[in-house]
């Protein structure tokens, strides 16, 4: 699960701890471990399906503590017996963990410290059509297609296969 980093003793003038790739399942597990027991005490349930096999980038720092100012307040607004489905949704360049809320649920706004921590970590939140979305950027270095490599050595001057293989070997790392 996401491990909080103590921030009380950290000089605010220093750079935040570095980020790293996180599996979506790790993030979901961290959220469920913290907020499912809290939801149960309020008579609520968080419903989730298995997280997709993908990774997102998340900066360091006390991210889970900062999420308390959004998720705690949100759960306190809901009537007992409410089921809150959560699901992952992929969009270009990021993944969102969506919390579907009953109609008429008010919005919550994180305090300034939480907004700062979440922004520094690269996590955004947004409200849309009765849904709270926590948005995570895809991990750097994830590529959906192989990188472009030049097409060299395919045809030689004398059109012989020996020339083809020799040209490819001379050119080095090719994508054929």
């Amino acid at each position: 699960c996401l491990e909080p980093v103590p921030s009380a003793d950290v000089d605010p003038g220093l750079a935040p701890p570095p980020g790293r790739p996180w599996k979506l399942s790790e993030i979901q597990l961290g959220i469920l471990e913290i907020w499912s027991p809290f939801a149960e005490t309020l008579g609520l349930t968080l419903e989730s399906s298995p997280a997709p096999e993908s990774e997102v980038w998340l900066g360091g720092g006390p991210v889970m503590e900062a999420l308390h100012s959004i998720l705690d307040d949100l759960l306190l607004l809901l009537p007992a017996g409410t089921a809150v489905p959560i699901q992952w949704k992929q969009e270009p360049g990021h993944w969102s963990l969506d919390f579907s809320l009953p109609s008429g649920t008010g919005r919550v706004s994180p305090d300034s410290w939480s907004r700062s921590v979440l922004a520094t970590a690269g996590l955004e939140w947004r409200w849309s059509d009765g849904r709270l979305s926590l948005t995570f950027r895809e991990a750097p270095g994830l590529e959906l297609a192989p990188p472009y490599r030049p097409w060299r050595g395919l045809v030689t001057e004398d059109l012989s296969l020996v020339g083809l293989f020799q040209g490819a070997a001379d050119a080095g790392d090719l994508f054929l």
Side-chain angles (χ1 to χ4, degrees):
C1 77
L2 299 175
E3 296 179 11
V5 176
S7 63
D9 301 330
V10 175
D11 181 353
L14 296 177
R20 70 172 182 89
W22 289 89
K23 290 183 178 182
L24 299 183
S25 58
E26 290 177 299
I27 294 171
Q28 182 171 314
L29 179 62
I31 287 174
L32 291 175
E33 284 180 348
I34 293 172
W35 281 280
S36 287
F38 180 60
E40 287 176 19
T41 62
L42 299 172
L44 310 171
T45 56
L46 298 179
E47 299 174 342
S48 66
S49 56
E53 291 293 323
S54 190
E55 290 183 338
V56 294
W57 183 89
L58 190 59
V63 175
M64 297 309 273
E65 287 83 355
L67 280 176
H68 277 284
S69 71
I70 297 175
L71 296 177
D72 288 359
D73 292 348
L74 174 68
L75 295 176
L76 288 169
L77 291 174
L78 301 175
T82 302
V84 179
I86 62 173
Q87 63 182 355
W88 288 98
K89 181 174 137 187
Q90 185 176 23
E91 297 172 12
H94 62 272
W95 281 89
S96 295
L97 182 59
D98 294 344
F99 293 75
S100 298
L101 308 169
S103 62
T105 302
R107 294 180 180 213
V108 296
S109 180
D111 57 71
S112 60
W113 176 83
S114 296
R115 280 193 303 270
S116 173
V117 168
L118 295 174
T120 301
L123 191 152
E124 299 175 6
W125 68 96
R126 62 180 177 221
W127 293 95
S128 176
D129 299 327
R131 187 177 306 264
L132 169 66
S133 296
L134 302 178
T135 305
F136 304 84
R137 291 180 283 181
E138 286 184 344
L142 291 180
E143 297 178 9
L144 299 176
Y148 171 77
R149 294 185 185 127
W151 292 74
R152 288 185 266 166
L154 293 178
V155 179
T156 63
E157 198 169 338
D158 62 356
L159 301 175
S160 71
L161 286 178
V162 172
L164 168 68
F165 294 119
Q166 182 63 44
D170 291 341
D173 187 27
L174 292 178
F175 180 70
L176 300 176

